[in-house]
Amino acid sequence: MAKKEPINLRRFDELNLARLGLISVQRTIPENLTRWEVEHETDGRVVRVVCAGTTEYGGVPHGIDNDISAAIINLFIESGSPEDGALTFTTYQLLRAAGLSTSVRYYNLARESLLRLYSSSYLITEGWRDHPKRRWVTVGFRYVEKIEFTSADGDTLDGKSIIRVVIPKELVHSIRAGYIKPLDLQFMRSLEQPTTRALFRLLDAQRVDPEDPSRTVQVLQVDLLEWAEMCKLVLPTAHRIRRALEPAHEELIAKGYLASVSYSGRGKKQNITYAFAQGVLSHPISQELVDVLMENGVAESRARDLVRQYGEQVGEAAVRMETMLKSGFRPRNPAGFLVDLLMNPGKYAQDGENPENTLSLEPSNSKLELDRQVLSAEQGEQQRLREEYDRMSPGQRGEYVVRTLNLLIRSALKPLEYDLLQDAVVQGEVDGFQLIRSASTAVIQKKLSHFIEDIRQLLY
């Protein structure tokens, strides 16, 4: 298998977490801050959020916890958003995904952050969006429901530590339902301070309509004290709130995300008005991509906004839609379907596509001659399993192979190796079904070490 350049994966943020601002933007907090509670009214709903942490791990989530939580969400999405909410990665992968240094100091900070996200609980009343059912619900959870990690001394993290976490079912359900928004992690990583990165993530979510994530605003006005609560700032006066936010405002203006920040009113009755820079964090407008959307019935202004937001992904969605149309699928509203396919790429894997004809790949030859010995099983059952696999889309195959191998061989492969293997399956360079059969044979015949050696030879 030829060595390939890294894939530019799409990055996202889950809208509930981002809009609620569950992590304080402050880099440091008082040692005894182990609980906060905020309440506000939105569209006739009284939204109440309570967070409870512990002094053992540094109080309530804050600082780089924002970066770590965003990284976990994207690692989860990249792993195929498994239904059980479980994902495995190394500390190095986590820090790289978060855009943080991979020095020893940050290994220690990552450990503290993960344990803080694990030990802090949230109760959100009438403020969590169950988007598929289009309703607001009450939920209670932790960012990390379960955690385990390997370590040379049993307690600290290093670059070789393998971490396994399980995220809450509420978050899994929301991500799998497509209640997400694009997140420019490259820009977020370019911001110097944790406070600026956290404020950017909150602003970028607040400008999105929670009931229609495709709609964004160019100007956002917020009450100063309510905004301080959204940012979880532990500051008693309007003057101190403004002073705490000023460095983040200056950096976001300097980096071109905000056009301006202005204040109106006096004292505790002040408002902040954020004006977002035109076209910020967007892709260049390609008239060719605009035309693709318009040819499918999307209005020109809407088409330009989508191209600005999604760039080349518009062309990818159009190609995928064309493949589905050739398979016999006929959407009732082509324009609406194409937009939804663009914004929620995993939504139609089973419901809208004809899996028998969609994006099928022929397994290619590779340097590794996979063991083709068939397990002692009924031929008809093997044929049925093969047919089920062939009906999957490339993405489904990659998810299925990684999930099944994880059950068979657990930590015999590193998380990064799982990622590379998943990519090879998705690209059609490895026959995933045959790979699973070979793994099963290796386990039964106690030849797992040889199997792992062959896999690593293939990957590297």
Side-chain angles (χ1 to χ4, degrees):
M1 182 175 68
K3 185 177 180 180
K4 303 184 298 301
E5 293 298 317
I7 297 176
N8 184 21
L9 293 167
R10 297 174 67 178
R11 308 293 182 176
F12 297 93
D13 211 349
E14 196 279 329
L15 264 174
N16 282 304
L17 296 183
R19 285 185 56 82
L20 288 168
L22 299 180
I23 297 175
S24 172
V25 303
Q26 289 184 241
R27 184 170 187 171
T28 59
I29 61 173
E31 293 182 359
N32 61 349
L33 182 59
T34 59
R35 188 182 189 278
W36 55 254
E37 177 180 335
V38 298
E39 183 175 297
H40 61 274
E41 185 173 336
T42 303
D43 298 330
R45 292 177 293 106
V46 177
V47 178
R48 181 169 175 262
V49 184
V50 179
C51 174
T54 172
T55 56
E56 183 178 0
Y57 300 117
V60 295
H62 62 277
I64 71 163
D65 299 346
N66 178 73
D67 303 300
I68 295 296
S69 66
I72 289 175
I73 289 172
N74 279 281
L75 288 172
F76 176 72
I77 293 174
E78 290 170 22
S79 69
S81 306
E83 287 187 62
D84 61 3
L87 64 155
T88 303
F89 47 83
T90 64
T91 318
Y92 180 82
Q93 282 181 290
L94 178 65
L95 291 174
R96 287 297 300 271
L100 300 172
S101 168
T102 54
S103 65
V104 173
R105 174 173 177 264
Y106 276 88
Y107 288 138
N108 295 331
L109 290 175
R111 175 187 177 279
E112 293 176 6
S113 179
L114 287 169
L115 292 175
R116 198 156 44 238
L117 293 172
Y118 168 72
S119 63
S120 300
S121 61
Y122 294 89
L123 178 61
I124 302 167
T125 304
E126 288 294 304
W128 187 269
R129 178 72 172 175
D130 185 346
H131 201 58
K133 296 183 179 179
R134 299 191 176 279
R135 64 179 184 178
W136 297 93
V137 298
T138 297
V139 297
F141 61 81
R142 294 172 292 177
Y143 264 91
V144 175
E145 292 288 347
K146 294 182 180 179
I147 183 171
E148 59 179 292
F149 57 83
T150 61
S151 172
D153 61 8
D155 187 40
T156 60
L157 291 177
D158 56 40
K160 296 181 180 179
S161 295
I162 296 176
I163 306 167
R164 179 179 174 83
V165 302
V166 177
I167 65 175
K169 66 180 187 307
E170 293 83 3
L171 186 54
V172 172
H173 174 74
S174 187
I175 291 173
R176 288 175 63 86
Y179 195 53
I180 54 180
K181 58 170 284 296
L183 177 66
D184 193 328
L185 277 184
Q186 184 175 359
F187 177 82
M188 184 171 165
R189 292 168 180 172
S190 74
L191 301 173
E192 296 180 4
Q193 298 299 323
T195 298
T196 311
R197 295 194 294 270
L199 185 63
F200 157 69
R201 188 180 176 194
L202 180 59
L203 280 169
D204 209 50
Q206 283 292 320
R207 67 184 299 198
V208 173
D209 184 339
E211 297 189 4
D212 183 3
S214 66
R215 298 172 56 186
T216 59
V217 299
Q218 202 62 33
V219 177
L220 177 67
Q221 187 176 78
V222 293
D223 177 272
L224 178 65
L225 296 186
E226 289 184 0
W227 189 241
E229 287 190 340
M230 289 295 295
C231 295
K232 309 306 177 292
L233 293 173
V234 191
L235 301 168
T237 66
H239 174 70
R240 292 186 64 189
I241 293 170
R242 289 181 58 163
R243 189 170 63 181
L245 292 174
E246 185 176 358
H249 289 165
E250 290 177 351
E251 186 175 3
L252 289 173
I253 291 173
K255 289 292 181 68
Y257 178 70
L258 292 175
S260 65
V261 179
S262 58
Y263 294 87
S264 59
R266 297 176 62 85
K268 294 183 178 181
K269 294 185 178 181
Q270 294 183 66
N271 291 323
I272 310 177
T273 300
Y274 291 103
F276 298 95
Q278 292 286 342
V280 69
L281 302 182
S282 63
H283 300 272
I285 298 296
S286 163
Q287 188 59 46
E288 182 180 356
L289 293 177
V290 172
D291 291 341
V292 168
L293 290 168
M294 292 179 64
E295 288 169 2
N296 284 279
V298 180
E300 181 176 3
S301 60
R302 178 76 170 118
R304 295 182 71 82
D305 286 341
L306 288 170
V307 171
R308 180 182 293 113
Q309 186 174 9
Y310 291 94
E312 293 298 327
Q313 295 158 14
V314 170
E316 296 169 6
V319 170
R320 187 173 178 218
M321 177 175 170
E322 182 64 25
T323 302
M324 296 167 71
L325 292 175
K326 289 179 180 179
S327 74
F329 174 71
R330 293 292 179 268
R332 286 178 289 184
N333 181 355
F337 176 75
L338 178 55
V339 172
D340 204 27
L341 187 64
L342 173 64
M343 297 177 61
N344 303 300
K347 180 177 178 181
Y348 294 93
Q350 293 179 345
D351 297 334
E353 295 183 24
N354 181 342
E356 292 185 356
N357 299 296
T358 303
L359 303 177
S360 60
L361 295 176
E362 291 295 330
S364 63
N365 294 326
S366 65
K367 295 179 182 178
L368 173 64
E369 180 64 27
L370 293 173
D371 183 4
R372 296 187 178 277
Q373 181 179 358
V374 180
L375 294 173
S376 177
E378 184 181 30
Q379 183 64 36
E381 177 66 8
Q382 288 296 323
Q383 181 64 29
R384 184 187 68 80
L385 292 173
R386 174 84 242 190
E387 291 173 355
E388 284 186 3
Y389 178 83
D390 290 341
R391 287 197 295 268
M392 296 178 186
S393 69
Q396 290 172 324
R397 291 176 186 175
E399 179 182 347
Y400 169 73
V401 169
V402 171
R403 184 173 63 246
T404 305
L405 283 180
N406 193 40
L407 291 173
L408 287 171
I409 64 179
R410 293 295 181 182
S411 59
L413 287 177
K414 299 177 181 178
L416 178 59
E417 292 168 337
Y418 274 119
D419 289 343
L420 294 172
L421 193 56
Q422 183 179 30
D423 179 41
V425 172
V426 170
Q427 298 298 327
E429 296 165 343
V430 170
D431 183 343
F433 181 79
Q434 201 61 48
L435 183 71
I436 290 172
R437 291 174 63 182
S438 298
S440 301
T441 301
V443 171
I444 291 174
Q445 297 182 351
K446 301 186 184 302
K447 295 181 179 179
L448 185 57
S449 61
H450 297 293
F451 173 78
I452 298 301
E453 183 180 347
D454 287 343
I455 288 295
R456 286 176 174 153
Q457 182 180 353
L458 167 68
L459 295 177
Y460 299 120

